[in-house]
Amino acid sequence: MSRIKLLEPLFVEFIPRELEPGKLYVSMVYTTTAHLCASGCGSKVVLPLSPVQWQIYFDGEAISLTPSVGSWDLPCQAHYWIRKNKIWWAAPWDKKRTEAGRRSDARDLDDFYDVRAATHQVGDESATSHRGSFWERLFGKREGLGRV
Ligand SMILES: [Zn+2]
């Protein structure tokens, strides 16, 4: 297993079934990214883009992703940052932090989707939270955004 040091961004509409190592596939249409784990283990890492999942920053040449990539479900337990196409290795996750991270991720996601669901059902701006109405205003009503 050799670690990947660089990820070259590749803007695509559809994420291909077979990924090439060292490439970061970005689909703006489907608001998602995919790459092969930088540990070199060959696992596919799919990072959906949303206000509470991952965000990309593209400076015209290189891509940065935030927050970090923590593959705690994989045997390699990889944890790294993608900054200007470069992989920066973080300290390995210890069990306690992993659990805490998981819980807070799940909570954020629940909040995010609950707000959207509520907005869709009620259809009344005054009944939605700040965050919900902001995203509704920014994107308009978006159908078909499911849990991932
Ligand atoms: Zn890996």
Side-chain angles (χ1 to χ4, degrees):
M1 254 178 15
S2 69
R3 281 181 165 189
I4 291 165
K5 294 189 182 74
L6 272 175
L7 283 178
E8 182 197 334
L10 212 63
F11 290 94
V12 293
E13 184 176 358
F14 299 103
I15 306 289
R17 203 174 294 269
E18 297 291 327
L19 305 183
E20 267 184 62
K23 300 258 196 294
L24 177 70
Y25 298 83
V26 181
S27 171
M28 291 299 191
V29 182
Y30 294 98
T31 56
T32 195
T33 74
H35 68 280
L36 291 180
C37 178
S39 74
C41 70
S43 301
K44 200 187 269 192
V45 178
V46 176
L47 306 174
L49 303 172
S50 87
V52 291
Q53 289 167 298
W54 279 268
Q55 296 90 49
I56 57 170
Y57 173 79
F58 179 54
D59 66 7
E61 289 176 0
I63 272 184
S64 303
L65 235 98
T66 188
S68 63
V69 183
S71 299
W72 47 70
D73 288 331
L74 300 177
C76 67
Q77 296 279 299
H79 182 203
Y80 49 89
W81 296 85
I82 302 169
R83 285 280 172 273
K84 296 200 169 190
N85 293 357
K86 283 204 189 84
I87 304 293
W88 295 87
W89 289 91
W93 294 90
D94 65 56
K95 193 134 174 101
K96 225 161 120 195
R97 281 235 3 237
T98 305
E99 294 296 317
R102 252 190 183 143
R103 272 201 305 276
S104 90
D105 281 1
R107 220 172 22 239
D108 282 356
L109 265 181
D110 281 349
D111 290 350
F112 180 62
Y113 288 111
D114 283 353
V115 165
R116 286 199 169 211
T119 313
H120 276 269
Q121 278 161 15
V122 179
D124 174 6
E125 275 246 319
S126 64
T128 65
S129 86
H130 230 68
R131 189 149 65 145
S133 55
F134 171 74
W135 290 109
E136 287 289 339
R137 274 202 303 277
L138 195 63
F139 293 120
K141 293 246 185 246
R142 254 187 5 167
E143 304 295 337
L145 182 73
R147 266 169 200 274
V148 248

